[in-house]
Amino acid sequence: MSAPDAPVGAERSLGTLVAGATSEMSALVHDEIALAKAQLRQDVKRGAFSGGAFIAAGTVLLFSLPMLSFALAYGIQAWSGWHISVCFLLSFAANIIVAAVLGLIGVSFAKKAKKGKGPQKVAASAKQTAAVLQHAKPHPRPAPKDDKFLKTPELVARSTS
């Protein structure tokens, strides 16, 4: 492999190859970090949008609960003929039960979210790549027995890219 601006038969020195490999590995690590940042940014945007939607839904639900409670109480009274105060107490008890069930569901989802490892996987991959690159050494190559291959320009392949 030769440099694009070098003549056909010229070869790059070992130092040039190591410098090129080091810069490529550095670029790879920087690209992995940029990928992790982009994924984290996207996750934060999705989370913020999701949180806003949940807050809006909760607000609408909060303001509609009194109406639901009244409707439930009057429905129980019409169905059973009980005193209206007992019907309102039953409506309140039903709201407490629904809130408890929703709270348990929220706790279970919070525990699952705590165990999630989306960005941690990318960070671990970047750390693993950096650890491998720290211990990378160039592979020693045997010295050529015949120098005619080094001096013959026709036998050196040239990159087309």
Side-chain angles (χ1 to χ4, degrees), residues 61-115:
L61 181 64
L62 181 67
F63 287 124
S64 66
L65 275 178
M67 298 305 289
L68 177 66
S69 295
F70 276 96
L72 183 61
Y74 283 116
I76 292 172
Q77 197 267 335
W79 175 70
S80 67
W82 295 340
H83 191 268
I84 196 71
S85 62
V86 173
C87 297
F88 273 101
L89 285 175
L90 288 175
S91 174
F92 176 72
N95 286 337
I96 295 296
I97 291 171
V98 169
V101 168
L102 290 175
L104 290 174
I105 291 171
V107 167
S108 71
F109 275 104
K111 286 181 181 178
K112 287 181 184 178
K114 209 175 201 182
K115 293 179 184 178

Coordinates of all heavy atoms in Angstrom, one line a residue, residues 61-115:
L61 N -56.1 14.1 33.5 CA -56.7 13.1 34.4 C -57.1 13.7 35.8 O -58.1 13.5 36.3 CB -55.8 11.9 34.6 CG -56.4 10.8 35.4 CD1 -57.7 10.2 34.8 CD2 -55.4 9.7 35.6
L62 N -56.1 14.5 36.3 CA -56.3 15.1 37.6 C -57.5 16.0 37.6 O -58.4 16.0 38.5 CB -55.1 15.9 38.0 CG -55.1 16.6 39.4 CD1 -55.2 15.5 40.5 CD2 -53.9 17.5 39.5
F63 N -57.7 16.8 36.5 CA -58.8 17.8 36.5 C -60.1 17.0 36.1 O -61.2 17.6 36.4 CB -58.6 18.9 35.5 CG -57.6 19.9 36.0 CD1 -56.4 20.2 35.2 CD2 -57.7 20.5 37.2 CE1 -55.5 21.1 35.7 CE2 -56.8 21.5 37.6 CZ -55.7 21.7 36.9
S64 N -60.1 15.9 35.6 CA -61.3 15.1 35.3 C -61.7 14.2 36.4 O -62.9 13.7 36.3 CB -61.1 14.4 34.0 OG -60.2 13.3 34.1
L65 N -60.9 13.9 37.4 CA -61.3 13.0 38.4 C -62.5 13.5 39.2 O -63.3 12.6 39.6 CB -60.1 12.8 39.4 CG -59.1 11.7 38.9 CD1 -57.9 11.5 39.9 CD2 -59.8 10.3 38.8
P66 N -62.6 14.7 39.6 CA -63.8 15.1 40.3 C -65.1 14.8 39.5 O -66.1 14.3 40.1 CB -63.7 16.6 40.5 CG -62.2 16.9 40.5 CD -61.7 15.9 39.5
M67 N -65.1 15.0 38.2 CA -66.2 14.7 37.4 C -66.5 13.2 37.4 O -67.7 12.8 37.5 CB -66.0 15.3 36.0 CG -65.9 16.7 35.9 SD -67.2 17.7 36.7 CE -68.5 17.4 35.5
L68 N -65.5 12.5 37.3 CA -65.6 11.0 37.3 C -66.2 10.6 38.7 O -67.1 9.7 38.7 CB -64.3 10.3 37.0 CG -64.3 8.8 37.1 CD1 -65.2 8.2 36.0 CD2 -62.9 8.3 37.0
S69 N -65.7 11.2 39.8 CA -66.2 10.8 41.1 C -67.6 11.1 41.3 O -68.4 10.3 41.8 CB -65.3 11.5 42.1 OG -64.0 11.1 42.1
F70 N -68.0 12.3 40.8 CA -69.5 12.7 40.9 C -70.3 11.7 40.0 O -71.4 11.3 40.5 CB -69.7 14.1 40.4 CG -69.4 15.1 41.5 CD1 -68.2 15.8 41.5 CD2 -70.4 15.5 42.4 CE1 -68.0 16.7 42.5 CE2 -70.2 16.4 43.3 CZ -69.0 17.1 43.4
A71 N -69.9 11.4 38.8 CA -70.6 10.5 38.0 C -70.8 9.1 38.6 O -71.8 8.5 38.6 CB -70.0 10.4 36.6
L72 N -69.7 8.7 39.2 CA -69.7 7.3 39.8 C -70.6 7.3 41.0 O -71.4 6.4 41.2 CB -68.3 6.9 40.2 CG -68.1 5.5 40.8 CD1 -68.5 4.5 39.8 CD2 -66.6 5.3 41.2
A73 N -70.5 8.4 41.8 CA -71.4 8.4 43.0 C -72.9 8.5 42.7 O -73.7 7.8 43.2 CB -71.0 9.6 43.9
Y74 N -73.2 9.3 41.7 CA -74.6 9.4 41.3 C -75.1 8.2 40.6 O -76.2 7.8 40.7 CB -74.8 10.7 40.4 CG -74.9 11.9 41.2 CD1 -73.9 12.9 41.0 CD2 -75.9 12.1 42.2 CE1 -74.0 14.1 41.8 CE2 -76.0 13.3 42.9 CZ -75.0 14.3 42.7 OH -75.1 15.4 43.4
G75 N -74.2 7.5 39.8 CA -74.5 6.2 39.2 C -74.8 5.1 40.2 O -75.7 4.4 40.1
I76 N -73.9 5.1 41.3 CA -74.2 4.1 42.4 C -75.5 4.4 43.1 O -76.3 3.5 43.4 CB -73.0 4.1 43.4 CG1 -71.7 3.6 42.7 CG2 -73.3 3.3 44.6 CD1 -70.5 3.7 43.6
Q77 N -75.8 5.7 43.3 CA -77.0 6.0 44.0 C -78.2 5.7 43.1 O -79.2 5.1 43.7 CB -77.0 7.5 44.3 CG -78.0 8.0 45.3 CD -79.3 8.4 44.7 OE1 -79.4 8.8 43.6 NE2 -80.4 8.3 45.5
A78 N -78.2 5.9 41.8 CA -79.3 5.5 41.0 C -79.5 4.0 40.9 O -80.6 3.5 40.8 CB -79.1 6.1 39.6
W79 N -78.4 3.3 40.9 CA -78.4 1.8 40.7 C -78.9 1.2 42.0 O -79.7 0.2 42.0 CB -77.0 1.3 40.3 CG -76.9 -0.1 40.3 CD1 -77.5 -1.0 39.4 CD2 -76.1 -1.0 41.1 NE1 -77.1 -2.3 39.6 CE2 -76.3 -2.3 40.7 CE3 -75.4 -0.7 42.3 CZ2 -75.7 -3.4 41.4 CZ3 -74.7 -1.8 42.9 CH2 -74.9 -3.1 42.4
S80 N -78.4 1.7 43.2 CA -78.6 1.0 44.4 C -79.7 1.6 45.3 O -80.3 1.0 46.1 CB -77.4 0.9 45.3 OG -77.0 2.2 45.7
G81 N -79.9 2.9 45.2 CA -80.9 3.6 46.0 C -80.3 4.0 47.3 O -81.1 4.4 48.2
W82 N -79.0 3.8 47.6 CA -78.4 4.2 48.9 C -78.4 5.7 49.0 O -78.5 6.5 48.1 CB -77.0 3.6 49.0 CG -77.0 2.1 49.0 CD1 -78.0 1.2 49.3 CD2 -75.8 1.3 48.7 NE1 -77.6 -0.1 49.2 CE2 -76.2 -0.1 48.8 CE3 -74.5 1.5 48.3 CZ2 -75.4 -1.2 48.6 CZ3 -73.7 0.5 48.1 CH2 -74.1 -0.9 48.2
H83 N -78.0 6.1 50.2 CA -77.9 7.5 50.5 C -76.7 8.0 49.7 O -75.7 7.3 49.5 CB -77.7 7.7 52.0 CG -77.8 9.2 52.4 ND1 -76.7 10.0 52.5 CD2 -78.9 9.9 52.7 CE1 -77.1 11.2 52.8 NE2 -78.4 11.2 53.0
I84 N -76.7 9.3 49.3 CA -75.7 9.8 48.4 C -74.3 9.9 49.1 O -73.3 9.7 48.4 CB -76.1 11.2 47.9 CG1 -75.3 11.6 46.7 CG2 -76.1 12.3 48.9 CD1 -75.5 10.9 45.5
S85 N -74.3 10.1 50.4 CA -73.0 10.2 51.1 C -72.3 8.8 51.1 O -71.0 8.8 50.9 CB -73.2 10.6 52.6 OG -74.0 9.7 53.3
V86 N -73.0 7.7 51.2 CA -72.4 6.4 51.1 C -71.9 6.2 49.6 O -70.8 5.6 49.4 CB -73.4 5.3 51.4 CG1 -72.9 3.9 51.2 CG2 -73.9 5.4 52.9
C87 N -72.6 6.7 48.7 CA -72.2 6.5 47.3 C -70.9 7.3 47.0 O -70.0 6.8 46.3 CB -73.3 7.0 46.3 SG -74.8 6.0 46.5
F88 N -70.8 8.5 47.6 CA -69.5 9.3 47.4 C -68.4 8.6 48.1 O -67.2 8.6 47.6 CB -69.7 10.7 48.0 CG -70.3 11.6 46.9 CD1 -71.6 12.0 47.0 CD2 -69.5 12.2 45.9 CE1 -72.1 12.9 46.0 CE2 -70.0 13.0 45.0 CZ -71.3 13.4 45.0
L89 N -68.6 7.9 49.3 CA -67.5 7.2 49.9 C -67.1 6.0 49.1 O -65.9 5.7 49.0 CB -68.0 6.7 51.3 CG -68.0 7.8 52.4 CD1 -68.6 7.2 53.7 CD2 -66.6 8.3 52.7
L90 N -68.0 5.3 48.5 CA -67.7 4.2 47.6 C -66.9 4.7 46.3 O -65.9 4.1 45.9 CB -68.9 3.5 47.1 CG -69.6 2.6 48.2 CD1 -70.9 2.0 47.7 CD2 -68.7 1.5 48.6
S91 N -67.3 5.9 45.8 CA -66.6 6.5 44.7 C -65.1 6.8 45.1 O -64.2 6.5 44.4 CB -67.3 7.7 44.2 OG -66.5 8.4 43.3
F92 N -64.9 7.4 46.3 CA -63.6 7.7 46.8 C -62.8 6.4 47.0 O -61.6 6.3 46.6 CB -63.7 8.4 48.2 CG -62.4 8.7 48.8 CD1 -61.6 9.6 48.3 CD2 -62.0 8.0 50.0 CE1 -60.4 9.9 48.9 CE2 -60.8 8.2 50.6 CZ -60.0 9.2 50.0
A93 N -63.4 5.3 47.5 CA -62.7 4.1 47.7 C -62.2 3.5 46.4 O -61.1 2.9 46.2 CB -63.6 3.1 48.5
A94 N -63.1 3.6 45.4 CA -62.7 3.1 44.0 C -61.5 3.9 43.5 O -60.6 3.3 42.9 CB -63.9 3.2 43.1
N95 N -61.5 5.2 43.7 CA -60.4 6.0 43.3 C -59.1 5.6 44.0 O -58.0 5.6 43.4 CB -60.6 7.5 43.5 CG -61.6 8.1 42.5 OD1 -61.8 7.5 41.4 ND2 -62.3 9.1 42.9
I96 N -59.2 5.3 45.3 CA -58.0 4.9 46.0 C -57.5 3.6 45.5 O -56.2 3.4 45.3 CB -58.3 4.8 47.5 CG1 -58.7 6.1 48.1 CG2 -57.2 4.1 48.3 CD1 -57.5 7.1 48.1
I97 N -58.3 2.7 45.2 CA -57.9 1.3 44.6 C -57.2 1.5 43.3 O -56.2 0.9 43.0 CB -59.1 0.4 44.5 CG1 -59.6 0.0 46.0 CG2 -58.8 -0.8 43.7 CD1 -60.9 -0.8 46.0
V98 N -57.8 2.3 42.4 CA -57.2 2.6 41.1 C -55.8 3.3 41.3 O -54.8 2.9 40.6 CB -58.1 3.4 40.2 CG1 -57.4 4.0 39.0 CG2 -59.3 2.6 39.8
A99 N -55.7 4.2 42.2 CA -54.4 4.9 42.4 C -53.4 3.9 42.9 O -52.2 4.0 42.5 CB -54.6 6.0 43.4
A100 N -53.8 3.0 43.8 CA -52.8 2.0 44.3 C -52.3 1.1 43.2 O -51.1 0.8 43.2 CB -53.5 1.2 45.5
V101 N -53.2 0.6 42.4 CA -52.8 -0.3 41.3 C -51.9 0.5 40.3 O -50.8 -0.1 39.9 CB -54.1 -0.8 40.5 CG1 -53.7 -1.5 39.2 CG2 -54.9 -1.8 41.4
L102 N -52.2 1.7 40.0 CA -51.3 2.5 39.1 C -50.0 2.7 39.8 O -48.9 2.7 39.1 CB -52.0 3.8 38.7 CG -53.2 3.7 37.8 CD1 -53.8 5.0 37.6 CD2 -52.8 3.1 36.5
G103 N -50.0 3.0 41.1 CA -48.7 3.2 41.8 C -47.8 1.9 41.7 O -46.6 2.0 41.5
L104 N -48.4 0.7 41.9 CA -47.7 -0.5 41.8 C -47.1 -0.7 40.4 O -46.0 -1.2 40.2 CB -48.6 -1.7 42.2 CG -48.9 -1.8 43.7 CD1 -49.9 -2.9 44.0 CD2 -47.7 -1.9 44.6
I105 N -47.9 -0.4 39.4 CA -47.4 -0.5 38.0 C -46.2 0.4 37.8 O -45.2 0.1 37.2 CB -48.6 -0.2 37.0 CG1 -49.6 -1.4 37.1 CG2 -48.0 -0.1 35.6 CD1 -50.8 -1.1 36.3
G106 N -46.4 1.7 38.3 CA -45.3 2.6 38.2 C -44.0 2.2 38.9 O -42.9 2.4 38.3
V107 N -44.1 1.6 40.0 CA -43.0 1.1 40.8 C -42.3 -0.1 40.0 O -41.1 -0.1 39.9 CB -43.4 0.6 42.2 CG1 -42.2 -0.2 42.8 CG2 -43.7 1.8 43.0
S108 N -43.1 -0.9 39.4 CA -42.5 -2.1 38.6 C -41.8 -1.5 37.4 O -40.7 -2.0 37.0 CB -43.5 -3.1 38.3 OG -44.4 -2.6 37.3
F109 N -42.3 -0.5 36.7 CA -41.7 0.0 35.5 C -40.4 0.8 35.9 O -39.4 0.8 35.2 CB -42.6 0.9 34.7 CG -43.4 0.2 33.7 CD1 -44.8 -0.1 34.0 CD2 -42.9 -0.3 32.6 CE1 -45.5 -0.8 33.1 CE2 -43.7 -1.0 31.7 CZ -45.0 -1.3 31.9
A110 N -40.4 1.5 37.1 CA -39.3 2.2 37.6 C -38.1 1.2 37.9 O -36.9 1.5 37.6 CB -39.6 3.0 38.8
K111 N -38.4 0.1 38.4 CA -37.4 -0.9 38.7 C -36.8 -1.5 37.4 O -35.6 -1.7 37.3 CB -38.0 -2.1 39.5 CG -38.2 -1.7 40.9 CD -38.7 -2.9 41.7 CE -39.0 -2.5 43.2 NZ -39.6 -3.7 43.9
K112 N -37.6 -1.7 36.4 CA -37.2 -2.1 35.1 C -36.3 -1.1 34.4 O -35.3 -1.4 33.8 CB -38.3 -2.5 34.2 CG -39.0 -3.8 34.5 CD -40.1 -4.1 33.6 CE -40.9 -5.3 34.0 NZ -42.0 -5.6 33.2
A113 N -36.7 0.2 34.5 CA -35.9 1.3 33.9 C -34.6 1.4 34.6 O -33.6 1.7 34.0 CB -36.7 2.6 34.0
K114 N -34.5 1.1 35.9 CA -33.3 1.2 36.6 C -32.3 0.1 36.1 O -31.1 0.4 36.1 CB -33.5 1.0 38.1 CG -32.6 1.7 39.0 CD -33.1 1.5 40.5 CE -32.5 2.5 41.4 NZ -32.9 2.3 42.7
K115 N -32.8 -1.0 35.7 CA -31.9 -2.1 35.2 C -31.5 -1.9 33.8 O -30.6 -2.6 33.3 CB -32.7 -3.4 35.4 CG -32.9 -3.9 36.8 CD -33.7 -5.2 36.8 CE -34.0 -5.6 38.3 NZ -34.8 -6.8 38.3

